[in-house]
């Protein structure tokens, strides 16, 4: 048993991106072709067979989302239905039954409400990170799909994913792939992250923030930045992000593609060659954990390419960050349906 944390133990402004064992998580179980009703549980540990499918053959998918404390004390979720829909597309790829979208979103609300004293205060920049995950539990040694599954959502308060938050960091291209061309890169599958550990470690040891993954067929086109999608602002006013079958369709990316025209930027999903990155005035990583993290430089084959500045954030990156987080924390009105209020009593 790990010790449960208390809100007064937390330094909200200096949280980092770590796990804390909070009082409640939601669990539901799939057995005999149907879902249990599911509900909140207090024990963060689970009892699972040593031969559970997911330990050996990797039927495990997950999601990442955040709950945001508003100025009025309420709490927002940001586009939670998109997480539910993406989880079910990941489920299709790994031959797992769908999690009902309504159960998924309601479970998110229940977990936030039950752990509401751990939603960081407005103004600290911190949020309550929600981690839905879903895995096969049927005991087996042959390679088959499981028939029994557990779905859980836990929560943990988090600060910035990359040290420094909105300050530029340095990236480097890698030679190893996180996913195959027609593999599982589009799905949020645990195995993709296992593949990313070694290239990530090599980049960190060389002093970089993370890896720039190139496409697995040609090793020429930009795919992802560590655990986030890539964007670049071209010198002629386009917001560009890679189009590829092996990258994760990021909810933050679709949101920024929708917001870019508000700043006069033309949104574009397109092929982005690593040999043509000097056309970008600004570059950044985008994702739930990363939010918008400016990229100061990318080093490729020993040559460093600097975007805007290695120490200062570019003007479009700043504007997009302010707009996105303004919507998420409820300071600004966003497009219809993006914000879901969490009833707290
Ligand atoms: N790419 C990868 C590999 C990720 O793990 C994530 C995180 O979820 C993202 C991109 C960003 O996706 P989203 O904006 O939906 O969080
Ligand atoms: C997220 O942004 O939610 C992620 O899942 C990225 C990482 C923490 C795995």
């Amino acid at each position: 048993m790990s010790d449960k944390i208390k809100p007064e133990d937390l330094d909200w402004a200096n949280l980092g991106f770590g796990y804390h064992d909070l009082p409640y998580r939601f669990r539901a179980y799939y057995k005999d072709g149907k879902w249990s009703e599911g509900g909140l549980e207090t024990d963060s540990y689970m009892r699972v067979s040593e031969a559970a499918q997911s330990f050996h053959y990797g039927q495990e998918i997950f999601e990442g989302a955040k709950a945001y404390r508003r100025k009025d004390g309420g709490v927002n979720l940001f586009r939670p239905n998109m997480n539910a829909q993406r989880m079910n597309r990941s489920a299709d790829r790994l031959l797992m039954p769908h999690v009902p979208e309504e159960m998924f979103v309601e479970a998110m609300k229940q977990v936030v409400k039950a752990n509401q004293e751990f939603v960081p205060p407005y103004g600290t920049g911190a949020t309550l990170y929600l981690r839905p995950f879903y895995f096969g539990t049927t005991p087996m040694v042959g390679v088959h799909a499981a028939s029994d599954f557990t779905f859980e959502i836990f929560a943990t308060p988090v600060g910035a994913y990359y040290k420094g938050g909105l300050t530029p960091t340095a990236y480097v291209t890698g030679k190893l792939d996180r996913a195959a061309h027609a593999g599982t890169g589009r799905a949020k599958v645990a195995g993709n992250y296992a593949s990313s550990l070694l290239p990530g470690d090599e980049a960190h040891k060389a002093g970089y923030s993370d890896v720039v993954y190139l496409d697995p067929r040609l090793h020429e086109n930009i795919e992802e930045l560590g655990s986030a999608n890539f964007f670049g602002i071209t010198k002629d006013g386009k917001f560009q992000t890679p189009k590829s079958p092996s990258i994760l369709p990021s909810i933050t990316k679709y949101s920024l593609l929708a917001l870019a025209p508000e700043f006069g930027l033309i949104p574009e999903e397109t092929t982005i060659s690593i040999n043509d990155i000097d056309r970008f005035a600004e570059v950044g990583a985008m994702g739930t954990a990363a939010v918008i993290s400016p990229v100061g430089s990318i080093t490729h084959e020993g040559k460093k390419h600097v975007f805007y500045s290695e120490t200062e954030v570019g003007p479009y990156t700043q504007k997009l960050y302010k707009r996105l987080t303004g919507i998420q924390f409820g300071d600004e009105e966003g497009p219809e349906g993006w914000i879901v209020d969490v009833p707290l009593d």
Side-chain angles (χ1 to χ4, degrees), residues 9 52 99 106 108 137 168 179 199 236 252 265 267-268 270 273 275 342:
D9 297 337
V99 173
E106 283 309 308
M108 272 189 164
T137 53
D236 63 352
T252 316
L265 295 168
E268 205 169 73
T270 185
S273 167
N275 299 315
V342 180

Side-chain angles (χ1 to χ4, degrees), residues 63-78:
E63 276 300 318
K66 283 174 172 173
Y68 304 82
R69 178 77 73 185
R70 300 193 303 262
K71 206 174 193 165
D72 67 6
V75 176
N76 285 343
L77 294 174
F78 182 69

Side-chain angles (χ1 to χ4, degrees), residues 62-65 83 86 129 131 178 185 187-188 192-193 213 224-230 247-255 286-291:
F62 71 98
E63 276 300 318
N83 291 104
R86 185 171 63 191
Y129 186 72
R131 173 49 62 85
R178 63 178 278 282
K188 211 159 162 56
N192 297 343
Y193 297 82
Y213 289 102
E224 304 239 30
L225 294 174
S227 298
N229 275 185
F230 171 100
I247 65 177
L248 192 77
S250 153
I251 295 163
T252 316
K253 166 181 81 177
Y254 290 122
S255 305
M286 53 185 167
T288 300
V291 194

Side-chain angles (χ1 to χ4, degrees), residues 3 29 52 68 86 96 100 133 153 165 196 202 208 233 260 285 297:
D3 290 330
Y29 304 92
Y68 304 82
R86 185 171 63 191
M96 297 162 76
F133 66 110
I153 303 178
S196 77
E202 286 174 353
Y208 297 97
I233 312 285
S297 69

